Amino acid sequence: MHVVATAGHVDHGKTTLVDALTGMRSDRLEEERRRGLSIELGYVWTTLPEVGQVAFVDVPGHERFVPTMLAGIGPVPAVLLVVAADDPWMPQAAEHLAALDALGVRHGVAAVTRSDLADPGPAVERVSAELARTSLRGSPVVAVSARTGEGMDALRAHLTAMVAALPSPAPDADVRMWVDRRFTVRGAGTVVTGTLPAGTLAPGDEVEVDGLRGRVRGVQALGEPVEAAQGVARVALNLVGDGLEEVDRGSVLVAPGRWHRTDLLDVRVAGDVDALPAHPQLHVGAASLTARVRPLGEGLVRLSLDRPLPLRVGDRALLRDPGSRLIWGLRVLDPAPPALRRRGAAARRARALTATWARAGWDGAPDLGAEVARRGIVDTRMLTRIGLTPTDPLPEGITRAGRWLVADRAASALARRVAALVAEHDRDRPLDPGVPLTALAERLGVPSPEIVAAVVAAPLTVRGGRVVAAAASPALPPEVERAVAAIRRDLAASPYAAPSADRLRELGLDPRREAAAAKAGLLLRAAPGIVLLPGADREAAQLLAALPQPFTTSEARQHLGTSRRVALPLLDHLDRAGLTRRLPDDRREVVARG
Ligand SMILES: Nc1nc2c(ncn2[C@@H]2O[C@H](COP(=O)(O)OP(=O)(O)OP(=O)(O)O)[C@@H](O)[C@H]2O)c(=O)[nH]1
Ligand SMILES: [Mg+2]
């Protein structure tokens, strides 16, 4: 299916033309029919032989209904601009065209209609000249009469060519549907309609609408129930879920967990940024809401919205001043921007965004490498939610650390701070060299120890969950390193399930090698044949501190989720290390550490 929106001045013949093209009636309301004036968005469709179904979103042209018109064209990639031959270029034709241009709509056909009433020649020329100044430059301009049928075949041919040239959106794209209408069907509950730009919706799908969870009970496309609707499509969805009665135009339905909802975003505005009012209306998709503008400089602006929306890098939208009726196009550069606290932060932010987009150009595709470089450390889940799916392999200059990506510059800055912290620690406590990754992550304020592990560089190294100076532990034979790596994997999930004697034999870790690995700080040897990861003793003490003190051996064993074979030597080890104290009745208490 393809979807085309109309545009054009009030009473110029939009509705009459799409009705003639489709044989349907798009003005539904009694008031619309009585006054011959469109008020709401209308939906009609037809089949064009070579390209299949084409649905029209028919917009009202009256100046009072410009926000409704913007909701109609917002999610739609193609337009049918309608101008009356007997009326010159009029204000809402200009205003609608400015909006299409601001949204960067490139696919269009212009119809000079009512050509039975006047010579269409001058209007055709004027429309071509106006289009030439916009993103729709070069679009065909056809003279037609909906009344006599003159030119309708040519119009169909141009529409066919236009929709055939539209890009086909990915069927597996993340669903985001801007709701443009809501109604209640007796017995079925809430039904919403909208243009699905990409992705697929089917009955049974879980969805999220304005942060509320729900489920799709039924899907209709162009008035017929379907098993699945694939974007681009006009769809009506029957929804079930708590609170979904509140859903209405401006609501946004998305695939759960796939989008970042934000009320703060950095954008690039085209045109005269200085003329922007402080509180313009933001029109995006079929939604319209008030935004607060904070200029950053260099044509860049931070917007605060009065409610959060699911937005991605590269989204297009427009800002409108309802007073002056002026329109500015914008492109979302960062829907998850950092807070601007310090003096000069806005200007620095503008410079950073400009640097990110320098190579691609403001209209270009976002560059993953540059985006990660600007952010320093970023969660891949957040990246995906804002539309920047990590590539494989990653661009140069980025390291993966678990679910995080770390840019080279951020990595070397972190590595320097890690080196300083470890050096300081080793100076203060030479008998206990090295610092646990978790402690470093906390000190450095990074979200995961995996990030610390990924940035550690020689002469430091990671051994058993600690960052240590490599010189402190001489290299071991590779077979021992391999055995230690295998044990580390074994213990990753259950840290107190020390490998059995059989397992140690299988790994070739005889008592001599076991002792060497322990001496090098790679393993913690609670007793011969009982090995754990370094740091397991400190962690065990921390866990045991949560028990009512003192505790019995069996309580400790249960709390650590281990066996007597491990618990007994481990507790003895904790006593020796001064982490626990054994009382005369054989119970123990954790030694408080200052
Ligand atoms: N003679 C003639 N009249 C037309 C033609 N197309 C539309 N009209 C008339 O023009 C008037 C306005 O037509 P509509 O289709 O309602 O115009 P519209 O652009 O949808 O108007 P709004 O939705 O209110 O913006 C109606 O009286 C139509 O009958 C045409 O090709 N020839
Ligand atoms: Mg109309």
Side-chain angles (χ1 to χ4, degrees):
M1 188 197 306
H2 303 281
V3 183
V4 179
T6 63
H9 195 69
V10 63
D11 242 4
H12 270 203
K14 298 177 289 298
T15 301
T16 310
L17 191 58
V18 291
D19 287 3
L21 282 167
T22 62
M24 296 175 72
R25 288 192 72 181
S26 75
D27 280 349
R28 285 167 286 113
L29 305 178
E30 193 275 328
E31 184 187 357
E32 291 178 316
R33 292 185 180 176
R34 183 163 40 77
R35 295 170 64 188
L37 178 86
S38 301
I39 297 170
E40 268 304 325
L41 297 172
Y43 311 102
V44 289
W45 53 89
T46 187
T47 299
L48 292 177
E50 282 163 50
V51 290
Q53 287 176 315
V54 179
F56 293 91
V57 177
D58 181 36
V59 308
H62 194 281
E63 60 174 355
R64 277 196 12 236
F65 305 136
V66 168
T68 305
M69 183 277 172
L70 296 176
I73 61 166
V76 176
V79 66
L80 171 61
L81 178 66
V82 179
V83 179
D86 56 322
D87 208 12
W89 185 249
M90 295 296 280
Q92 270 63 59
E95 198 172 350
H96 291 186
L97 182 56
L100 292 162
D101 184 37
L103 291 172
V105 175
R106 287 181 296 113
H107 304 274
V109 173
V112 169
T113 189
R114 309 211 303 198
S115 60
D116 55 303
L117 296 180
D119 170 15
V124 168
E125 250 171 61
R126 177 70 193 264
V127 172
S128 309
E130 295 292 344
L131 290 175
R133 286 195 267 274
T134 71
S135 58
L136 284 162
R137 72 189 67 84
S139 299
V141 185
V142 219
V144 297
S145 165
R147 180 75 40 92
T148 66
E150 183 87 30
M152 291 297 281
D153 287 342
L155 176 59
R156 281 196 189 87
H158 283 299
L159 285 170
T160 301
M162 173 184 72
V163 299
L166 288 172
S168 23
D172 59 350
D174 295 331
V175 163
R176 176 178 58 175
M177 189 182 99
W178 304 89
V179 173
D180 54 23
R181 193 168 161 233
R182 193 256 344 223
F183 49 95
T184 308
V185 175
R186 195 186 293 271
T190 303
V191 176
V192 298
T193 70
T195 304
L196 177 67
T200 306
L201 273 169
D205 283 357
E206 297 287 332
V207 293
E208 202 180 292
V209 193
D210 302 342
L212 297 172
R213 289 298 283 260
R215 193 170 50 79
V216 176
R217 185 151 58 186
V219 182
Q220 289 200 355
L222 308 185
E224 299 292 334
V226 292
E227 278 174 23
Q230 186 180 316
V232 179
R234 283 295 310 169
V235 295
L237 306 174
N238 180 198
L239 298 179
V240 282
D242 283 346
L244 295 188
E245 322 71 62
E246 304 289 323
V247 167
D248 211 337
R249 170 173 307 156
S251 292
V252 200
L253 177 146
V254 295
R258 308 293 301 167
W259 293 81
H260 174 62
R261 294 173 77 226
T262 183
D263 56 6
L264 196 68
L265 55 151
D266 288 350
V267 305
R268 177 156 195 280
V269 175
D272 184 3
V273 176
D274 296 334
L276 268 179
H279 301 277
Q281 281 295 109
L282 172 74
H283 296 269
V284 54
S288 157
L289 58 171
T290 307
R292 198 157 50 84
V293 166
R294 171 168 181 186
L296 303 173
E298 308 186 31
L300 305 173
V301 164
R302 173 158 295 189
L303 296 180
S304 323
L305 312 181
D306 55 15
R307 64 190 164 87
L309 289 178
L311 294 173
R312 286 190 169 176
V313 177
D315 275 343
R316 282 176 170 281
L318 53 87
L319 292 170
R320 180 167 184 265
D321 178 358
S324 69
R325 312 186 75 94
L326 287 174
I327 281 171
W328 294 258
L330 68 81
R331 198 155 186 245
V332 175
L333 302 183
D334 193 345
L340 301 177
R341 288 211 190 84
R342 275 180 271 160
R343 273 174 68 92
R348 269 199 302 282
R349 176 70 179 155
R351 281 197 298 278
L353 286 169
T354 304
T356 307
W357 290 85
R359 193 142 38 108
W362 297 109
D363 289 327
D367 178 300
L368 182 69
E371 291 287 338
V372 175
R374 194 181 72 238
R375 289 175 168 82
I377 299 174
V378 53
D379 186 342
T380 51
R381 293 189 304 196
M382 170 60 97
L383 275 183
T384 310
R385 284 202 290 261
I386 61 172
L388 301 167
T389 308
T391 51
D392 190 18
L394 288 166
E396 242 170 75
I398 302 179
T399 308
R400 185 186 284 276
R403 51 168 234 267
W404 283 268
L405 300 184
V406 187
D408 277 356
R409 264 188 63 185
S412 34
L414 266 182
R416 276 194 301 276
R417 296 174 62 199
V418 168
L421 286 172
V422 172
E424 184 190 306
H425 171 95
D426 287 1
R427 202 171 44 239
D428 294 351
R429 302 177 63 179
L431 294 180
D432 176 29
V435 186
L437 289 166
T438 44
L440 287 166
E442 203 167 303
R443 277 291 294 275
L444 296 167
V446 300
S448 161
E450 289 167 294
I451 297 170
V452 180
V455 304
V456 165
L460 296 184
T461 182
V462 181
R463 288 256 159 88
R466 295 166 78 83
V467 180
V468 295
S473 27
L476 287 170
E479 64 274 14
V480 179
E481 294 269 10
R482 268 198 299 278
V484 168
I487 290 177
R488 203 175 292 154
R489 277 195 299 277
D490 289 355
L491 289 170
S494 37
Y496 301 104
S500 64
D502 281 349
R503 175 67 173 152
L504 292 177
R505 206 170 307 121
E506 175 188 312
L507 293 171
L509 213 58
D510 59 29
R512 197 176 46 82
R513 287 172 162 168
E514 191 187 296
K519 186 146 176 266
L522 295 178
L523 293 175
L524 172 78
R525 202 179 191 208
I530 305 294
V531 293
L532 298 170
L533 293 183
D537 45 0
R538 258 174 286 247
E539 275 159 24
Q542 263 175 27
L543 288 171
L544 295 173
L547 286 176
Q549 310 284 316
F551 49 85
T552 64
T553 302
S554 139
E555 281 162 354
R557 177 181 61 73
Q558 281 173 21
H559 194 64
L560 297 176
T562 187
S563 58
R564 280 182 66 79
R565 180 179 73 89
V566 177
L568 292 176
L570 176 59
L571 289 169
D572 287 343
H573 170 86
L574 295 182
D575 295 341
R576 283 196 303 276
L579 293 164
T580 50
R581 182 181 306 122
R582 187 172 181 173
L583 305 177
D585 64 358
D586 256 4
R587 293 191 298 169
R588 285 182 171 82
E589 60 188 16
V590 173
V591 175
R593 318 200 76 198

